[in-house]
Amino acid sequence: MEMEKIIVALVGNPNCGKTTLLNRMSHARESVGNYPRVTVTLTRRTLVHEGVVIELVDTPGIYALTSHSSEERETREFIHSGQADIIVNIVDAGNLERSLFLTSQLIEMGMPMMFVLNMMDEARRRQLTIDVHGLSSMLGGSVWETVATQDHGIGELLDGIIDMHRNKVVHEPVFLPYDAHLERAVERVQRLVNELHPRAMDQNQSRWLAIKLLEGDDQILVREGEHVHLLEMVHRQRYDLARDHGEECELMFAAARYGFVHGMVQEAVQGPLNERDSGDWTGRLDRFFLHRFLGLPILFGLLWTMFHSTFSLGEIPMGWIENAVAWISGHVEELLPEGLVHDLVVDGIIAGVGGTVVFLPNIVILFFFMALFSETGYLARAAFLMDRLMHSFGLHGKALIPLVMGFGCNVPAVMATRTIEDHRSRMITIMISPFILCSARLPVFILFAGAFFGDRGGLMVMLMYVLSIMVAMGAAVFLNRLILKRVEDPFVMELPPYRLPTLRAIMIHMQDRIVGFMQKVAGVILVGSIIIWFLQAFPQHQHLSRDYAGEIARMEQMADPAPDWEAIAALKMEQSQEELEKSYLGQIARTIAPIFAPLQFTWKDTVAVLTGFVAKEVVVASYAVLYAQGEGAGENSESLRRSLSASMTPLVAFTFMLFALLYAPCLGTIATIRREAGGWRWAGYSVAFSLSLAYGLSLGVVWIGGLLS
């Protein structure tokens, strides 16, 4: 027997706790954060409660049901599609006046609806008393109290959803008290809408459509474009209202809604009269963290702490993982007989995967700090502080959150640009997002910083982060002035209240990143390591310039004097190098190497660059496989660092770090750019732009470094 199913849409403002509520209700682990617009697309999760299947649809956070942003359009279209049986409007109980503006538009749609006062703990902490029954009466629907972070009220809410669905609870629609002139205009347009769409809409739907037309909603006007007579009437009504009242029609609707909301809050909410009495620490902390002179030094101090801890604290567990990889490699080497399978497992899979997984502690520490900043609300403050600086580079303020997200991964950063309404500003942010140093590049810089810069390794890693931001800002200026003409757009950054982070939320953040990293290790890095090993190991039985095997055997059999083991090791190294150069990998790299010769990259560096096009983590795996050929260059990263430091100068190492920072996005980011920008043209432009910039700046570093040395 098929189980009963309910589809529930979760709708609310950004940062109202929708995703946290979704996680608690469905035991999911979607990413959450104490900043707006964590959710930028529909997310579906299914659960079973009391024998009923409930499909939860988490919609992007919005402030209004207009069509100004892709999030608003996506949420509105889903609600209007009729797929949802019940709309659950999540409201921030501590910011009712702001949250209820969206609610005032939702109730006009006349759909089955429930209201959730989330974060009731914060409201109580601010000494706010909310008349739930009064609010329920004014909104025309049941109101529930929850604290999603503490799992309070979740079971009762699920019971309420099932009860509403089974009992077909229908509340009387609530009509907002508009100005009499507005009401008459709505009635005229609604009447014509009913004539043009006979039996297609009920009274609530036709009234909602009439209001949207009078508000001048672009998407609705286009949809009704074939009804010329209707559009003429709308235009005339809007003109008459603006002329008679001295303000635009949409402002009159907004003013009426704000009046409705203000009155409702006055009726239903009681609280202290001033901030000091409310016990709200947000304002007091902001006076410190957003201080005009102290704000930026505090921000850079926290960032330095994060990067230094990532590098220094990570050394200890890195050593444990290195030893574990060496132990596994040694045992596998003893168990497997000599042959292709032995070489594939030891020199390909273990060397490649082991060389990358050793950086897992650094990833964990970095994302612990990122989760901490996000959950406390400081991430939004960091974006706010940097906004002043970014505006001087001509970048839109709303680009800050996607760029900050880019420190984790460029793919969600590009997706998060949907929050930017202006098309040109959004395209610029998409184009510069790949320049932000993502976690995939971090192992490359940790490897090089440790190999070449010793105790200053942490500072070098931080320098890479600073350079990534500077290049992104410079690229934004270039795109603004020469490629995409910039249009000024006012910036409003919502600053969420400071909150104590929960262990669960931080663990979800870190788990997402760790799982994503390990999936790459188990997927693209494993495959990449095998491909690199194959290209390196074949063709077999090459014709070498000397009979290395014979010479080594004769030297090992010498009794008097004793064998010269250093000479034997040098001969083995020479043999490995010649075999590598004559392999498929060596042939490909040597063909392309002249392009990178001005940057002083060897053919091995060229191999690493080529493999990095797939994913930047593969660069480390490539070096691990390439240098595992040498005597004494085992699979652990310490020997890899020694091999690297012997193969290039610090200047070339820094040049390679800069090139790796900027050249071409990975395949995943390129695919996301194509989807978000609307075609391969922009994806191709992003690759060409980043390659040209990386090559040009790296060449400049080599040239200046040569002059100074």
Side-chain angles (χ1 to χ4, degrees), residues 143-176:
V143 177
W144 302 81
E145 299 180 44
T146 62
V147 182
T149 54
Q150 300 173 19
D151 208 15
H152 291 172
I154 304 300
E156 293 82 352
L157 176 61
L158 289 170
D159 291 340
I161 290 172
I162 293 174
D163 181 66
M164 182 175 182
H165 183 70
R166 283 180 173 167
N167 295 315
K168 308 295 181 190
V169 177
V170 178
H171 298 280
E172 288 295 322
V174 176
F175 295 104
L176 269 61

Side-chain angles (χ1 to χ4, degrees), residues 475-520:
V477 172
F478 172 81
L479 292 169
N480 266 308
R481 295 185 177 174
L482 300 179
I483 307 297
L484 294 161
K485 188 178 177 182
R486 184 170 183 268
V487 179
E488 287 290 342
D489 198 15
F491 167 61
V492 178
M493 182 78 203
E494 183 187 345
L495 296 178
Y498 288 102
R499 291 179 182 132
L500 284 175
T502 64
L503 181 62
R504 175 186 168 84
I506 288 180
M507 293 305 293
I508 288 175
H509 265 288
M510 294 173 62
Q511 179 181 311
D512 284 349
R513 307 307 177 193
I514 294 167
V515 169
F517 179 76
M518 294 307 294
Q519 283 174 341
K520 282 190 176 181

Side-chain angles (χ1 to χ4, degrees), residues 366-422:
L366 175 68
F367 282 104
F368 167 77
F369 278 98
M370 293 291 286
L372 202 61
F373 291 160
S374 165
E375 287 301 306
T376 55
Y378 186 73
L379 190 58
R381 268 78 182 176
F384 178 80
L385 286 167
M386 291 297 292
D387 173 66
R388 297 176 186 173
L389 182 64
M390 290 182 71
H391 259 83
S392 62
F393 291 95
L395 197 64
H396 193 289
K398 289 184 179 178
L400 286 162
I401 290 295
L403 293 182
V404 171
M405 291 177 69
F407 288 121
C409 179
N410 292 158
V411 172
V414 172
M415 291 178 65
T417 59
R418 295 178 185 180
T419 59
I420 303 171
E421 295 88 353
D422 179 74

Side-chain angles (χ1 to χ4, degrees), residues 126-299:
R126 295 175 57 188
Q127 302 176 31
L128 298 177
T129 304
I130 301 175
D131 178 4
V132 174
H133 296 292
L135 202 59
S136 173
S137 173
M138 288 183 276
L139 291 173
S142 57
V143 177
W144 302 81
E145 299 180 44
T146 62
V147 182
T149 54
Q150 300 173 19
D151 208 15
H152 291 172
I154 304 300
E156 293 82 352
L157 176 61
L158 289 170
D159 291 340
I161 290 172
I162 293 174
D163 181 66
M164 182 175 182
H165 183 70
R166 283 180 173 167
N167 295 315
K168 308 295 181 190
V169 177
V170 178
H171 298 280
E172 288 295 322
V174 176
F175 295 104
L176 269 61
Y178 292 123
D179 174 272
H181 296 140
L182 271 180
E183 279 294 344
R184 279 198 289 275
V186 171
E187 287 172 7
R188 291 190 191 104
V189 175
Q190 184 183 7
R191 205 158 38 237
L192 186 53
V193 166
N194 285 328
E195 290 176 11
L196 294 171
H197 299 280
R199 294 183 296 279
M201 303 179 189
D202 60 26
Q203 287 302 307
N204 292 326
Q205 291 170 327
S206 61
R207 178 182 169 83
W208 182 85
L209 184 60
I211 291 172
K212 286 295 161 192
L213 285 168
L214 286 168
E215 284 183 321
D217 189 290
D218 294 336
Q219 197 176 38
I220 301 295
L221 287 170
V222 170
R223 189 184 299 172
E224 295 296 317
E226 62 181 6
H227 301 130
V228 179
H229 184 48
L230 174 64
L231 296 187
E232 286 178 354
M233 173 185 275
V234 169
H235 179 72
R236 189 169 62 251
Q237 295 295 328
R238 282 172 53 83
Y239 175 79
D240 290 343
L241 286 166
R243 182 195 58 197
D244 296 342
H245 292 265
E247 62 179 349
E248 297 297 325
C249 194
E250 52 269 34
L251 296 180
M252 294 176 65
F253 278 107
R257 289 183 182 125
Y258 277 119
F260 172 78
V261 169
H262 183 69
M264 192 160 41
V265 171
Q266 291 298 315
E267 287 284 336
V269 181
Q270 291 183 343
L273 298 177
N274 57 57
E275 179 186 308
R276 185 182 298 276
D277 294 338
S278 70
D280 179 18
W281 282 89
T282 293
R284 302 174 197 178
L285 290 173
D286 273 346
R287 282 196 284 275
F288 176 67
F289 286 114
L290 299 182
H291 191 273
R292 183 178 178 185
F293 300 111
L294 295 177
L296 281 176
I298 292 171
L299 170 62

Side-chain angles (χ1 to χ4, degrees), residues 332-343:
V332 172
E333 197 164 3
E334 290 176 3
L335 290 173
L336 290 177
E338 292 289 336
L340 275 180
V341 175
H342 171 279
D343 295 344

Side-chain angles (χ1 to χ4, degrees), residues 317-359:
M318 279 177 73
W320 300 339
I321 297 178
E322 286 170 8
N323 293 334
V325 171
W327 182 83
I328 293 170
S329 178
H331 279 71
V332 172
E333 197 164 3
E334 290 176 3
L335 290 173
L336 290 177
E338 292 289 336
L340 275 180
V341 175
H342 171 279
D343 295 344
L344 168 64
V345 175
V346 176
D347 297 333
I349 296 174
I350 296 180
V353 173
T356 305
V357 79
V358 74
F359 298 104

